[in-house]
Amino acid sequence: MQLTTYFTFVCLCLTNLATVHGFLSPANLRHEKIAKNNVRIKSNSFITHAKKRRKENNQDNLFDWYEKIDDDKYDSAKPTPDDIFWEEMERQKMSSQAAAVAENGNSNNNNNFSNKNGDSHSSSSLGNGNVEAVLSSNAGNKNSSSQRNRVNGSPMSGDAILAQFKDNMVSDNWIVSGDEREEMDVDDLLEEQQRQIDEAWNSLYGENNLDESSTNGDEEDDDVTIESLSLDYDNEDYVDSDDIDAKQAEEELLQRLSNISMQSFSLNALKANERALTKLRSRGPDHTEGMEKLWIGAVDAPSKHNLKGSLRLYGVELADNFGDWTYGKQSDQFQTIEDIASFKAREVFKVTGLPVISSQSEWEVEPSKPKRIGPITNSPMLSPRGLSGYRFNDIDDRVDQVVSALLEGSGDYSRKTKFRSCVCFYDGNMEMYTFGEVEVDLLWTKSLKCFIPLSSAITDMVNLLTITFELEYQRWLKSKAKEAFIGYRGASIKLRDRVLRDGRVLPNGIIDVSKFMDSMVDVDLMSECGIELAQLFLDTKPTKILTVATTGLILAIPMAKELQVPVIYARKERSIVMADTFNAAYSSNTVGSNKRLYVAKNHLSANDRVLVVDDFLSAGSSQEALMRIISDAGALPVGVGVLIEKVYDSGRKSLSGFNVPVHSMVRVASVRDRVITLVEEDGFNEDEIINI
């Protein structure tokens, strides 16, 4: 009896705990303490409601919650199933909001930081390859966009989001768009085009340059002008105005760059590592890969591979890339992208001493035009912040935040935005810039579209560098292809020359080439011929080479070395060590008829792919005998290669039934009147072959 009472008491305690657990959990109590004033009233109401529910559970029944739904004794004032459902949904919602507030408070405590001057740092999403926190113009703290766009766990309004970027507001950054051009009449368009032509002409030749149509025909005045110019140039005190302008522009640029304090963590790490820095400065381009120059990059990390691949086509190796640049102080986010790109390039050059290619991108959205604004409504986007333009000198999650805020309730989806990228090259002596732009309607704007102008600017920079440094497209690959092409034809051309020069025709029509490939062998020539002929049989994948002793060996051995396969030669007489052999009959003008060739059976197997090699192909009798031996062994013939082929004989026809490729290096068309006449081979255009 006592045991039963004790068990009942334990069950009742568990019932009470289960009933109030959802309202008095340690998590809720902890959130109530952390949230403090923000959610204290709501949390207290939860606790009060939990106490009321606990008083109602006076029956201490484990199934009391279900009885509220199923029992009809409760009147309409009691909770219904729908009431209980929505009550639970509201509880979960408030609990999630309390957790979000607590997480936001912890993140603010951990992530808020600033330097002694009150400046803050921000990482570019392009600089380190991911979307990180950006510089907030008011708070100077580094929070994620999701946290920054929420207040007390609730999403911020569009106007509140834009309030964070009040320092980036501009009112006159109108972007010339297509619809504005359509509003101009024909005369205005022609006048604008003429103005652009005049500006381009003046920038090239100067405003004082006069052509023949603008002169007044007074020769005396022309002479005076020319004389005065010559006197100025001869004067020792004369200084070119272009040099003055360039020097002044450089001083102004250095003054502006001195106000920038951006930093790259990877560049700072390199400066601190003397060993790595010394190795980088002393290394050269990878000549085995065809690289002729070694440069370095400071472009946004996702564009590194684009730049690297483009430069490799012109023999330039990108040694490394420093793309993790961060703002050093508040004013850095308002510098021009040209100055920032120049600053990056000069900083990297100062450390590495290598030519540098850097980049920086900006985004801007124009103000809302009055003609686009409809009737005044209660939309918060009709505030000055929603109607203003914005400009950022870096591409990160701020772009997407501003776009989302401007689209919220504005209705002006056709506002123009512009992504603009600058790529800078600096090598200590010269500095060059290229730019890329793309205009996008606000409705279709995303930060990822910045890669369109950046890719265009990189392409233009590579094209400009190819002209400046006379870089040749795939120079290394073309040279290797030309070497291979010349080498491919070189051996056959040399062999043709030797046949015509040292070969002679005997009275019985036999071609005597004993001066270089029979009694006396030109080893270098035969080696080159073997290498060249082996290239024609690479795709056949032979496992062994079969030839006839001894004249066939002068070609078979260098071919076997090139193909890395063993050589088997057929003897004309049975050797004492050849107990079991394959043999086949053949006849020849040089050795007579009723001759036989012998090959030991243990040299060939059914799995072999055999290439037949010989010095001459005339009637084809010896090659056909070797084919029969291969057939007897069950192996597979894959081709026939010879040095000299007599095309006026029937050798190629006799081998046609084996259905294998036949290649020869020199083809003799005729020996009439004891004069060797070779087949004229089709010519080749080296440039066409290399460009394929």
Side-chain angles (χ1 to χ4, degrees), residues 457-488:
I458 289 176
T459 301
D460 292 343
M461 175 58 72
V462 172
N463 293 336
L464 180 60
L465 293 173
T466 57
I467 298 174
T468 304
F469 295 98
E470 297 182 351
L471 303 177
E472 183 179 347
Y473 180 75
Q474 293 185 340
R475 177 184 299 173
W476 179 77
L477 184 60
K478 288 181 178 180
S479 63
K480 290 297 181 182
K482 189 172 183 179
E483 290 176 5
F485 175 75
I486 294 175
Y488 171 75

Side-chain angles (χ1 to χ4, degrees), residues 496-507:
R496 288 168 61 91
D497 293 341
R498 292 298 296 272
V499 170
L500 293 175
R501 186 182 64 194
D502 298 331
R504 61 193 184 96
V505 181
L506 302 179

Side-chain angles (χ1 to χ4, degrees), residues 9 13 25 68 112 205 207-208 212 424 481 510 549 575 648 656:
F9 174 75
C13 292
S25 64
K68 287 188 178 184
N112 287 344
Y205 304 105
E207 297 181 359
N208 297 326
E212 295 180 358
C424 173
I510 296 177
S575 172
Y648 55 86
S656 60

Side-chain angles (χ1 to χ4, degrees), residues 225-487:
T225 303
I226 296 174
E227 183 179 0
S228 62
L229 287 176
S230 63
L231 289 175
D232 289 338
Y233 277 104
D234 293 337
N235 191 346
E236 295 180 355
D237 297 331
Y238 173 78
V239 180
D240 192 350
S241 59
D242 292 339
D243 294 338
I244 298 177
D245 295 340
K247 184 177 180 180
Q248 184 178 359
E250 179 69 14
E251 292 176 354
E252 294 176 354
L253 175 61
L254 293 177
Q255 179 62 32
R256 294 196 305 270
L257 297 185
S258 64
N259 298 325
I260 302 176
S261 59
M262 296 181 68
Q263 294 184 0
S264 169
F265 295 115
S266 58
L267 184 62
N268 292 337
L270 178 63
K271 286 192 292 186
N273 192 337
E274 276 296 327
R275 183 176 180 182
L277 185 58
T278 303
K279 185 176 181 180
L280 177 63
R281 289 174 175 174
S282 60
R283 64 163 292 195
D286 188 358
H287 296 290
T288 60
E289 293 287 338
M291 301 296 105
E292 300 175 356
K293 297 179 181 295
L294 185 67
W295 293 350
I296 203 162
V299 299
D300 300 323
S303 300
K304 175 183 69 175
H305 298 291
N306 182 9
L307 177 62
K308 183 177 181 179
S310 299
L311 293 177
R312 285 182 64 88
L313 295 176
Y314 295 92
V316 179
E317 179 183 358
L318 196 67
D320 201 349
N321 184 69
F322 302 97
D324 55 342
W325 293 88
T326 58
Y327 291 140
K329 57 184 179 181
Q330 187 82 8
S331 60
D332 288 344
Q333 64 173 329
F334 306 113
Q335 303 292 338
T336 64
I337 59 174
E338 294 88 345
D339 291 347
I340 294 180
S342 177
F343 175 83
K344 291 180 180 180
R346 290 169 183 261
E347 288 296 308
V348 175
F349 178 81
K350 189 187 304 181
V351 175
T352 63
L354 296 174
V356 187
I357 298 179
S358 62
S359 71
Q360 186 70 15
S361 299
E362 68 177 1
W363 175 79
E364 61 179 324
V365 55
E366 67 179 3
S368 183
K369 298 180 181 179
K371 67 178 183 179
R372 295 177 181 169
I373 302 176
I376 300 298
T377 64
N378 295 326
S379 172
M381 288 296 99
L382 293 180
S383 66
R385 296 191 187 98
L387 301 178
S388 174
Y390 292 84
R391 180 183 291 118
F392 300 92
N393 70 349
D394 199 3
I395 309 298
D396 45 41
D397 61 340
R398 293 177 297 177
V399 173
D400 298 317
Q401 292 177 46
V402 172
V403 170
S404 176
L406 293 177
L407 290 176
E408 182 181 325
S410 172
D412 189 1
Y413 300 149
S414 61
R415 291 172 68 172
K416 297 298 180 183
T417 70
K418 180 169 67 175
F419 292 92
R420 184 168 175 264
S421 297
C422 172
V423 175
C424 173
F425 173 84
Y426 182 76
D427 64 352
N429 296 321
M430 68 174 66
E431 191 171 37
M432 298 182 293
Y433 299 87
T434 57
F435 299 87
E437 292 184 3
V438 61
E439 295 179 7
V440 187
D441 286 349
L442 181 64
L443 182 61
W444 309 108
T445 300
K446 292 183 179 180
S447 58
L448 291 178
K449 292 187 183 295
C450 72
F451 293 112
I452 299 175
L454 183 55
S455 177
S456 175
I458 289 176
T459 301
D460 292 343
M461 175 58 72
V462 172
N463 293 336
L464 180 60
L465 293 173
T466 57
I467 298 174
T468 304
F469 295 98
E470 297 182 351
L471 303 177
E472 183 179 347
Y473 180 75
Q474 293 185 340
R475 177 184 299 173
W476 179 77
L477 184 60
K478 288 181 178 180
S479 63
K480 290 297 181 182
K482 189 172 183 179
E483 290 176 5
F485 175 75
I486 294 175

Side-chain angles (χ1 to χ4, degrees), residues 101-119:
V101 171
E103 181 180 358
N104 190 13
N106 292 334
S107 177
N108 288 335
N109 293 332
N110 294 332
N111 292 336
N112 287 344
F113 70 98
S114 61
N115 56 24
K116 295 181 180 179
N117 297 327
D119 298 330

Side-chain angles (χ1 to χ4, degrees), residues 23 46 49-50 53 56 65 68 79-94:
F23 303 95
F46 271 16
H49 186 62
R53 290 284 304 273
E56 292 177 358
W65 188 82
K68 287 188 178 184
T80 64
D82 289 341
D83 294 336
I84 295 176
F85 172 79
W86 291 112
E87 179 183 313
E88 178 65 16
M89 294 297 101
E90 183 68 18
R91 185 190 69 80
Q92 294 183 8
K93 176 181 177 181
M94 298 303 296

Side-chain angles (χ1 to χ4, degrees), residues 466-614:
T466 57
I467 298 174
T468 304
F469 295 98
E470 297 182 351
L471 303 177
E472 183 179 347
Y473 180 75
Q474 293 185 340
R475 177 184 299 173
W476 179 77
L477 184 60
K478 288 181 178 180
S479 63
K480 290 297 181 182
K482 189 172 183 179
E483 290 176 5
F485 175 75
I486 294 175
Y488 171 75
R489 297 188 61 200
S492 60
I493 293 174
K494 290 180 181 179
L495 183 60
R496 288 168 61 91
D497 293 341
R498 292 298 296 272
V499 170
L500 293 175
R501 186 182 64 194
D502 298 331
R504 61 193 184 96
V505 181
L506 302 179
N508 57 356
I510 296 177
I511 300 177
D512 180 17
V513 289
S514 58
K515 284 189 177 182
F516 58 92
M517 53 179 290
D518 191 358
S519 302
M520 183 170 61
V521 179
D522 187 337
V523 179
D524 292 337
L525 177 59
M526 292 300 104
S527 178
E528 293 179 14
C529 291
I531 293 173
E532 182 176 314
L533 192 58
Q535 306 305 314
L536 302 177
F537 294 99
L538 286 175
D539 58 341
T540 63
K541 297 179 174 61
T543 59
K544 290 178 181 177
I545 289 180
L546 180 61
T547 187
V548 178
T550 57
T551 54
L553 289 173
I554 61 174
L555 177 63
I557 291 177
M559 286 187 66
K561 183 179 180 181
E562 181 71 14
L563 297 172
Q564 290 297 294
V565 295
V567 178
I568 303 171
Y569 63 89
R571 296 175 180 267
K572 298 176 182 178
E573 295 180 355
R574 186 190 297 271
S575 172
I576 192 173
V577 297
M578 302 172 64
D580 196 4
T581 61
F582 299 110
N583 64 87
Y586 80 104
S587 60
S588 172
N589 293 333
T590 56
V591 298
S593 58
N594 298 325
K595 301 294 182 178
R596 304 192 71 85
L597 295 176
Y598 300 91
V599 176
K601 287 187 176 181
N602 59 354
H603 292 344
L604 291 174
S605 66
N607 297 326
D608 286 328
R609 300 171 59 85
V610 185
L611 174 63
V612 175
V613 173
D614 208 347

